[in-house]
Amino acid sequence: MKWSEEQDAALKAVDRWLHQGDSQVFRLFGYAGVGKTTLARHLAEHATGEVAFAAFTGKAAHVLRQKGCAGATTIHALIYRPTGDDPGDEGGPTFSLRRDAPASKADLIIIDECSMVDEELGRDLLSFGAPVLVLGDPAQLPPVKGGGFFTEGEPDFMLTEIHRQAADNPIIRVSMDIRMGRDPETYGEACRIISRDELETDMVMAADQTLVGTNRTRKRYNDRIRALKGHEDPYPEAGEKLVCLRNNKKKGLLNGSVWSVTRRKSPRGRKIGLVLAPEDGLGGKTVSVSTPMAMFTDGPENVPWEQKRGSDEFDYGYALTVHKAQGSQWDEVVLFDESYAFREHRARWLYTGVTRAAERLVIVR
């Protein structure tokens, strides 16, 4: 592999850090297309001892594996272990920090999409004592409330040069346009910019994920996609896609993680029981949750805290806000450009949305 001067300098900086051992964390930051993952994979291949790759969501871990980062998993799966079934009504596995978790065997841990890691998860990760190389992108949106444990610090090395292969990638080219303050344009079939009049139902239905800006739009498109899929019941049915809205470490639930309904239980009072399987990343284990029914009818933002207390919070996940999608990536994305709603963060919102797509992107304006 022929490295650029900047990439070579980054590799040397990480190597010095590994050998000197004066800090547990090294922040390797850079824009989309600078080769962060390629560098991390090279470091892993030449490192002494065992290297563990992880990301915040199962989907991001799946993307890492596709990029050649063998064994990449969620941070949750790396540091927590199932401790048996919940003895309560809901059942299903529970998780706790375990000293024999996979992180305990790692000589180096590499974390991608690090902006989503909150303080509790970050401190639990560091408690294993292994050096942690975190990869981040400062052009993205500031993390949602509670995240940013690793991104609050300045980068130890900042990559800015887009490497030649990446510069030919239409999605990377659009992300560069946005970052440079230019108006993005269509680059072939892999990255199209269309008007709402040109949008066809098949485009949305074929995408792995639909992304929007506002909760109002999110609810509208979730309702629309559910109807197109033939779901008339207001509550989740088997096979439906849900997104987790609040961390529950004990159950392995992460804010922004996407799940599929395997079974619905009978309602109890104002709550409904659901058995969920992860989109990816927790070994296929199902989890049982209890969620206020109003989350699905009134919208999460309209459910009083008293109803949410002691519950797991979920909503339909066919359409997600870009904020909620941070830390994940999908092969094919339809992005409704609502950047106008984010004022000073307008460009960062659009950049973050664009870079959630790995292979194909349709931007609807």
Side-chain angles (χ1 to χ4, degrees):
M1 184 78 186
K2 187 170 173 57
W3 306 110
S4 69
E5 282 187 27
E6 184 183 66
Q7 289 173 327
D8 190 55
L11 289 171
K12 286 174 179 171
V14 175
D15 193 57
R16 279 195 302 275
W17 162 72
L18 282 170
H19 285 91
Q20 289 171 358
D22 51 0
S23 170
Q24 190 179 357
V25 177
F26 189 99
R27 294 169 174 82
L28 179 61
F29 290 179
Y31 306 125
V34 296
K36 296 187 298 291
T37 309
T38 305
L39 290 173
R41 195 174 66 234
H42 175 82
L43 287 160
E45 288 167 357
H46 294 84
T48 304
E50 191 162 325
V51 179
F53 283 99
F56 184 75
T57 65
K59 197 63 186 176
H62 173 70
V63 172
L64 272 180
R65 292 194 297 273
Q66 285 185 315
K67 291 178 178 177
C69 301
T73 184
T74 60
I75 301 170
H76 194 280
L78 187 68
I79 64 176
Y80 303 120
R81 293 297 283 265
T83 55
D85 284 349
D86 186 339
D89 292 333
E90 293 178 17
T94 59
F95 295 84
S96 64
L97 190 68
R98 289 281 289 272
R99 288 298 142 205
D100 63 346
S104 66
K105 302 174 181 65
D107 299 288
L108 171 64
I109 295 171
I110 300 175
I111 302 295
D112 196 19
E113 296 278 6
C114 74
S115 69
M116 301 301 289
V117 179
D118 63 17
E119 183 172 358
E120 183 182 22
L121 192 63
R123 293 200 184 284
D124 282 351
L125 178 65
L126 296 182
S127 73
F128 286 87
V132 180
L133 173 65
V134 295
L135 312 178
D137 184 345
Q140 289 188 27
L141 281 166
V144 291
K145 185 180 177 183
F149 177 72
F150 290 118
T151 51
E152 284 176 355
E154 289 295 312
D156 296 293
F157 198 99
M158 177 70 195
L159 293 155
T160 59
E161 294 174 10
I162 309 300
H163 64 79
R164 217 168 31 245
Q165 269 180 305
D168 294 333
N169 179 312
I171 294 167
I172 298 296
R173 287 175 72 178
V174 168
S175 78
M176 290 168 64
D177 287 343
I178 295 164
R179 195 163 47 76
M180 299 294 186
R182 298 191 292 261
D183 204 37
E185 56 186 87
T186 290
Y187 289 107
E189 283 297 307
C191 188
R192 298 171 60 199
I193 299 175
I194 64 173
S195 69
R196 288 180 184 254
D197 292 341
E198 295 174 280
L199 180 67
E200 298 173 3
T201 301
D202 287 350
M203 293 178 188
V204 176
M205 300 303 283
D208 298 312
Q209 188 61 56
T210 297
L211 298 179
V212 301
T214 66
N215 281 319
R216 182 180 173 187
T217 307
R218 181 181 61 82
K219 183 167 187 346
R220 189 165 78 242
Y221 275 100
N222 272 324
D223 290 346
R224 175 70 175 141
I225 294 170
R226 289 194 77 233
L228 288 168
K229 287 179 173 286
H231 296 293
E232 297 178 359
D233 192 317
Y235 304 112
E237 299 178 303
E240 292 219 70
K241 186 176 185 177
L242 303 184
V243 60
C244 177
L245 303 181
R246 187 165 62 87
N247 291 343
N248 182 336
K249 184 178 76 173
K250 185 181 175 187
K251 289 187 178 180
L253 303 176
L254 294 172
N255 188 357
S257 57
V258 179
W259 300 73
S260 175
V261 178
T262 61
R263 186 162 59 91
R264 187 172 88 189
K265 301 178 183 179
S266 300
R268 285 192 173 190
R270 292 180 170 185
K271 296 180 181 179
I272 193 164
L274 301 166
V275 180
L276 307 177
E279 186 178 42
D280 191 46
L282 280 177
K285 292 183 183 298
T286 59
V287 61
S288 295
V289 301
S290 177
T291 300
M293 298 169 78
M295 297 284 283
F296 303 105
T297 52
D298 303 347
E301 60 279 3
N302 298 315
V303 181
W305 179 80
E306 293 77 15
Q307 283 188 43
K308 294 179 181 178
R309 185 169 54 189
S311 303
D312 298 308
E313 297 179 24
F314 283 85
D315 195 9
Y316 294 109
Y318 301 107
L320 300 177
T321 63
V322 168
H323 277 89
K324 195 62 72 177
Q326 282 182 267
S328 282
Q329 198 174 40
W330 295 268
D331 287 344
E332 192 163 338
V333 169
V334 170
L335 172 66
F336 288 86
D337 183 359
E338 294 188 296
S339 55
Y340 58 83
F342 298 92
R343 297 176 186 168
E344 70 270 22
H345 291 312
R346 181 173 186 161
R348 293 178 76 172
W349 181 91
L350 189 55
Y351 175 93
T352 305
V354 163
T355 53
R356 299 311 88 203
E359 293 179 9
R360 290 172 66 87
L361 173 69
V362 176
I363 301 174
V364 186
R365 309 191 94 171

